[in-house]
Structures are given as C-alpha cells and as structure tokens.
Amino acid sequence: MPEVIFPGPEGRLEGRYHPQKERDAPIAIILHPHPQFGGTMNNKVVYNLHYTFYNMGFTVLRFNFRGVGRSQGEYDQGVGELSDAASALDYLQSMNNNSKHCWVAGFSFGAWIGMQLLMRRPEITGFISAAPPANMYDFSFLAPCPSSGLIINGTSDRVAPPPDTRSLVRKLHEQKGITITHQEIEGCGHFFENEHMDTLTDSVTDYVKRRLTETTR
C-alpha cells in the first residue's frame, strides 16, 4: 500500500492510499482516534476499517492528523483536525473524480471529526461512526444530519458509555429524510478487542453493501 504525502492546512499530511483498478470505484476516508491519547492511522480499528472498505471495492485513504507521525503541525482541539480531514477528502477526490459514492468512517475522536465533515461536504453519501464519544463532545451540530449512516459501539465501552451513544442516536432518529442504523456489540469495550473486531468489520460490510445497492441517501 503506497505511502502518500499530501498538502494539509498546516503543512504536509502523511497517509496510506489504497486505490482500486476501476476508475469509478467508490471512495472512503478513515479517521483515527485522539492524537493526544496515542491515536494514529495505524490504530487497529482504523486499519481494519481501511481494509474492510478496500475489500468491498473502495479506493481508501487513511492518514495521520496534524502532529502525528510525519504529519506537520500540532494538535488543534479538533478544529484543525476537521480541516485536515477536509484536505484529505480533497486529495482523495482529486485522484478519483469519477467516483459516484463517497464515505467517511471514523473511530472515537475520528467519529466526531467524521460527523462534522458530513456537515461540510454534501457529497458524502454514508458514514460509519465506531464508538463515537458522545459523552466528551457536543454532537448538536448534526441538525439536520445530512446523510444516513451506521453508529456502532460496545455495551461495555467505558471510554464512551453506551447511554450517551443511545441518547445521540435517539436525537438523530427524530430527523426526517435519513436513517441512522445503530448496533451495540454485547460485551465489547471501546477498542473492539479480540472477536469483537470481526463483529465490527462484518457489521460494517453488511451495512455498506446494503447501502450501495440502494438508491436513497
């Protein structure tokens, strides 16, 4: 998988880019967890989401937010990281301008950034939010949430407690024109350890494949 360096708002950003042979393959970006708590693009959940999308025929990009790995800049409370994600999507789209579907997937902090990106980029047709930290960050910007997606978390998540995630899902369910699918994995912690990782990737595969056959958003 080729390493790529592409321009971000604060200098270069480091990524891994995995293209398909088909010129019109769907595209996806994968967003990693919190940079100040060891989050990188090589996080296990991020890595597995990357390959899950690639194996479904997507051209995929994952990357390090500013200040992580070889990406320049420094942590910016989520504001700069959202700009980094927008730059990553710009880069991915510039290489794949025939793509008809665009997805964003994020884990933990990356789920929060990904859902903000939805609000900026109407071309995003679907999203995956794995263990969104609804207890730590305000998700009220999702008014209205512009596209349908899957929110998936574990019942034993101590970092992002399930009641907060359920509350977020309830709020999103009230919105018209989109469908939020919510799945809780029994006994699973924040990091989808062991067999829970397979459950995560299987659920994402089932959900995305179903959505790709539908014509609605």
Side-chain angles (χ1 to χ4, degrees), residues 2 23 25 27 36 39 51 60 63 65 68 72 74 80 83 107 115 122 125 130 144 146 199 202 206:
R23 297 284 305 273
I27 57 174
Q36 294 195 309
Y51 275 97
V60 191
F63 71 97
F65 288 124
V68 177
Q72 293 178 316
E74 54 188 50
S83 297
F107 168 46
M115 294 182 88
T125 44
T199 308
D202 289 348
D206 291 347

Side-chain angles (χ1 to χ4, degrees), residues 11 14 52 63 68 76 86 101 108-109 117 127 129-130 132 135 140-141 162 184 205-206:
E14 172 192 21
T52 298
F63 71 97
V68 177
D76 189 32
H101 293 278
S108 195
F109 172 85
L117 191 63
F127 70 86
S129 278
N135 57 321
S140 61
F141 57 81
E184 287 191 329
T205 300
D206 291 347

Side-chain angles (χ1 to χ4, degrees), residues 5 10 20 28-29 31 34-35 44-45 51 57 65 73 78-79 98 115 144-145 149 151 153 156-157 162 165 190:
I5 298 288
E10 287 293 309
Q20 300 283 351
I29 66 166
L31 304 173
H34 205 296
K44 260 189 178 165
V45 176
Y51 275 97
F65 288 124
V79 178
N98 293 325
M115 294 182 88
C145 180
I151 294 176
N153 64 300
S156 301
D157 190 331
T165 306
H190 190 63

